[in-house]
Amino acid sequence: KQEVTQIPAALSVPEGENLVLNCSFTDSAIYNLQWFRQDPGKGLTSLLLIQSSQREQTSGRLNASLDKSSGRSTLYIAASQPGDSATYLCAVSFRNYGGSQGNLIFGKGTKLSVKP
Amino acid sequence: NAGVTQTPKFRVLKTGQSMTLLCAQDMNHEYMYWYRQDPGMGLRLIHYSVGEGTTAKGEVPDGYNVSRLKKQNFLLGLESAAPSQTSVYFCASSYRFDGYRGYTFGSGTRLTVV
């Protein structure tokens, strides 16, 4: 069964620090990987989408990398700010999941707190 | 604003009552999904649809039914609500089955069954 794991479950850093969030997945046969942000009591906001043929994507202070062979992705946040405090979710679209194609499987998230 | 709209945003049901959650998207996406989010469990797929008139079961379909009569709408029904269905429900849509161009999520429906 394909699974997505995010470590750590929670992270607290001082403002201005660069940080890395980790995501691992059990099957390298994927279509893509997407990073989301979720604020408390809110919906999911898409941050970055990496297709299986790509190695990384960048948006502002965010950079996401993908290594299919090792089943890993990292989300790098530069110069963190208190406004970055949220839960970050990694989701993988696997090529074959329980007989259905392309269903999105989520990790349980990393809760980030950036202290002023 | 273009995107996925869910109604209602909040609802409290008594055990045994029924209700329907509505999801509407205006991006002309073929694929639509219903997820539930529970503490410690992450998001899990309930049902999904690959096009108008088609639906399929996801990981946790028991106790739910769905319909996709129109391409832009995907309805999630609870026929007889149970406390175990207390959760936050998210609807999502995608352009293609493989998530090409990504997935777009609604803001969620917080459901409490007492």
Side-chain angles (χ1 to χ4, degrees):
Chain A
K1 179 182 178 181
Q2 292 96 336
E3 294 183 348
V4 178
T5 303
Q6 291 186 248
I7 296 174
L11 180 64
S12 181
V13 300
E15 182 178 3
E17 194 164 294
N18 301 325
L19 59 99
V20 173
L21 305 181
N22 297 295
C23 173
S24 62
F25 46 96
T26 54
D27 185 347
S28 62
I30 70 171
Y31 289 116
N32 51 59
L33 183 147
Q34 195 165 357
W35 283 94
F36 293 90
R37 168 183 173 141
Q38 185 175 29
D39 293 286
K42 303 294 185 182
L44 280 68
T45 300
S46 178
L47 297 174
L48 290 166
L49 171 69
I50 311 177
Q51 301 296 340
S52 63
S53 59
Q54 298 173 322
R55 294 300 298 261
E56 66 177 353
Q57 283 286 334
T58 298
S59 175
R61 295 183 293 109
L62 305 180
N63 175 276
S65 67
L66 175 64
D67 184 345
K68 280 192 309 178
S69 61
S70 65
R72 294 173 185 265
S73 175
T74 61
L75 179 65
Y76 174 82
I77 302 177
S80 59
Q81 304 170 357
D84 294 329
S85 297
T87 296
Y88 291 81
L89 299 171
C90 170
V92 178
S93 178
F94 289 102
R95 287 186 175 271
N96 284 291
Y97 183 78
S100 302
Q101 288 186 321
N103 287 318
L104 201 62
I105 306 303
F106 283 82
K108 295 180 180 179
T110 294
K111 186 175 183 179
L112 173 66
S113 176
V114 182
K115 304 296 185 183
Chain B
N1 294 332
V4 176
T5 302
Q6 292 183 233
T7 54
K9 295 189 184 304
F10 302 93
R11 185 72 185 267
V12 178
L13 282 181
K14 294 182 179 180
T15 297
Q17 287 185 320
S18 63
M19 77 164 294
T20 300
L21 282 66
L22 173 63
C23 176
Q25 54 95 3
D26 59 5
M27 298 169 286
N28 203 35
H29 283 174
E30 288 291 340
Y31 292 76
M32 297 187 73
Y33 315 84
W34 277 106
Y35 286 86
R36 60 178 288 174
Q37 185 178 35
D38 302 292
M41 299 295 293
L43 279 90
R44 294 178 292 169
L45 183 66
I46 305 171
H47 286 281
Y48 64 101
S49 169
V50 302
E52 181 177 318
T54 70
T55 62
K57 295 180 180 179
E59 182 183 357
V60 288
D62 294 342
Y64 305 95
N65 57 76
V66 289
S67 65
R68 182 106 180 262
L69 299 180
K70 293 183 179 180
K71 184 177 182 179
Q72 63 268 33
N73 295 337
F74 194 28
L75 278 63
L76 178 70
L78 287 72
E79 292 184 345
S80 179
S84 61
Q85 294 178 303
T86 294
S87 187
V88 181
Y89 292 86
F90 288 100
C91 176
S93 69
S94 67
Y95 174 66
R96 264 175 24 185
F97 70 93
D98 57 1
Y100 180 71
R101 296 185 188 173
Y103 296 77
T104 302
F105 279 77
S107 58
T109 295
R110 187 172 296 274
L111 174 66
T112 302
V113 182
V114 297

